[in-house]
Amino acid sequence: MKNIMFIAPPAAGKGTQAELVVAKYHIPHISTGDILREISKEDSEIGNYVAETLAGGKLVKDEITYQLIEKRLKEDDCKNGFIIDGFPRNINQAIEYDNILKKLGYEVGNVISIVIDEKTLEKRITGRRICEDCNAIYNINETSSAPQQESICDICGGKLYQRNDDNLEAFQTRYKMYQEKTEPIIEHYRKQGVLKEVNGNDTIENVFRKIDKIISLSSK
Ligand code: AMP
């Protein structure tokens, strides 16, 4: 199947949608945010740098992301398609991603942009909770995606936590950054003829239905 890239503002639901795609199509989900959060736990110079950058809602240095993406894409499980989420996040990263893909013989595939308004995002950001064991995502502000028991994962029983950067202040920094740096890459992919836009102001199920349609139509 074709590779998939998600472009969406923070808290638009791209992590949740990526998990639904993984569950149906069994392809690896490569999230630079998840990889960086793992690195941020390391007690090392790079671990400390990444932890501080994430907590402030800023972007880590481009070079770090290139290395971790190339290393991850070289793994065998990416051969039958993968979903990339959180990368590229600016135009330089998009250009470098095109180079990495070419080098490894991969195509960009479907670039799916989730379009959603800022007020909805603000409401979502404060309610987001994540399982520390399986990374499942919940929202305590939305009945349809709240966990059955407070602070406990429905799937694996793991403890739920709130990301350091899921507060209004860090959100506003990240959203501004998204508009300035990430939105221009939408045009980059529109020009390549690979961009698909999906309205994200809808239920998880309906957004997934639209994404699933794009994937299945392009696999024919
Ligand atoms: P996410 O889980 O995608 O919202 O990413 C969480 C944080 O990780 C971001 O706010 C950035 O600090 C960092 N990050 C993730 N992906 C990238 C990237 N492609 N380039 C730079 N920083 C990134």
Side-chain angles (χ1 to χ4, degrees):
M1 76 179 269
K2 281 193 176 178
N3 299 323
I4 299 163
M5 182 200 293
F6 277 139
I7 306 178
K14 64 183 161 58
T16 305
Q17 294 299 328
E19 291 308 330
L20 292 171
V21 173
V22 169
K24 179 157 181 187
Y25 292 96
H26 310 288
I27 52 172
H29 173 203
I30 302 170
S31 153
T32 43
D34 284 349
I35 300 173
L36 288 166
R37 273 185 287 280
E38 280 306 310
I39 297 175
S40 75
K41 292 178 192 161
E42 289 170 15
D43 185 17
S44 64
E45 200 177 326
I46 174 120
N48 294 339
Y49 160 74
V50 170
E52 265 173 42
T53 311
L54 263 64
K58 305 212 179 82
L59 293 184
V60 307
K61 289 188 197 114
D62 288 344
E63 283 66 28
I64 295 179
T65 64
Y66 302 157
Q67 283 169 22
L68 61 89
I69 281 295
E70 187 167 344
K71 184 167 171 258
R72 183 63 187 87
L73 293 184
K74 276 182 177 160
E75 287 178 33
D76 269 1
D77 62 344
C78 293
K79 287 199 174 114
N80 299 321
F82 55 84
I83 176 161
I84 192 140
D85 153 19
F87 183 90
R89 252 187 164 86
N90 59 42
I91 202 76
N92 285 340
Q93 289 187 5
I95 292 166
E96 184 59 24
Y97 185 53
D98 292 346
N99 292 334
I100 294 173
L101 289 174
K102 211 165 158 189
K103 194 156 87 181
L104 300 178
Y106 288 139
E107 284 183 7
V108 68
N110 285 313
V111 175
I112 301 177
S113 161
I114 303 177
V115 184
I116 186 162
D117 67 73
E118 190 179 351
K119 281 280 158 283
T120 309
L121 297 174
E122 282 185 4
K123 196 180 145 230
R124 284 190 188 173
I125 204 96
T126 49
R128 178 157 65 182
R129 299 291 182 275
I130 301 168
C131 173
E132 62 180 22
D133 292 335
C134 74
N135 288 325
I137 303 166
Y138 298 88
N139 200 302
I140 59 167
N141 291 341
E142 290 171 25
T143 31
S144 63
S145 54
Q148 281 168 5
Q149 266 182 287
E150 210 188 305
S151 310
I152 302 208
C153 178
D154 293 351
I155 302 165
C156 75
K159 225 170 110 192
L160 304 185
Y161 73 98
Q162 183 169 24
R163 275 167 48 170
N164 275 346
D165 55 353
D166 275 352
N167 59 71
L168 271 189
E169 204 189 332
F171 167 73
Q172 270 144 12
T173 310
R174 283 156 66 209
Y175 189 70
K176 202 162 152 254
M177 189 100 67
Y178 174 79
Q179 287 181 305
E180 283 173 11
K181 310 259 186 199
T182 309
E183 272 185 354
I185 72 176
I186 293 177
E187 286 315 307
H188 177 83
Y189 290 112
R190 203 191 301 278
K191 281 189 205 139
Q192 291 187 15
V194 291
L195 187 79
K196 311 275 170 15
E197 284 180 295
V198 166
N199 180 358
N201 294 293
D202 208 336
T203 61
I204 293 173
E205 293 74 23
N206 286 343
V207 175
F208 181 64
R209 224 165 272 143
K210 293 178 226 170
I211 291 174
D212 195 21
K213 199 167 166 193
I214 293 171
I215 298 173
S216 44
L217 283 177
S218 72
S219 310
K220 282 181 181 155

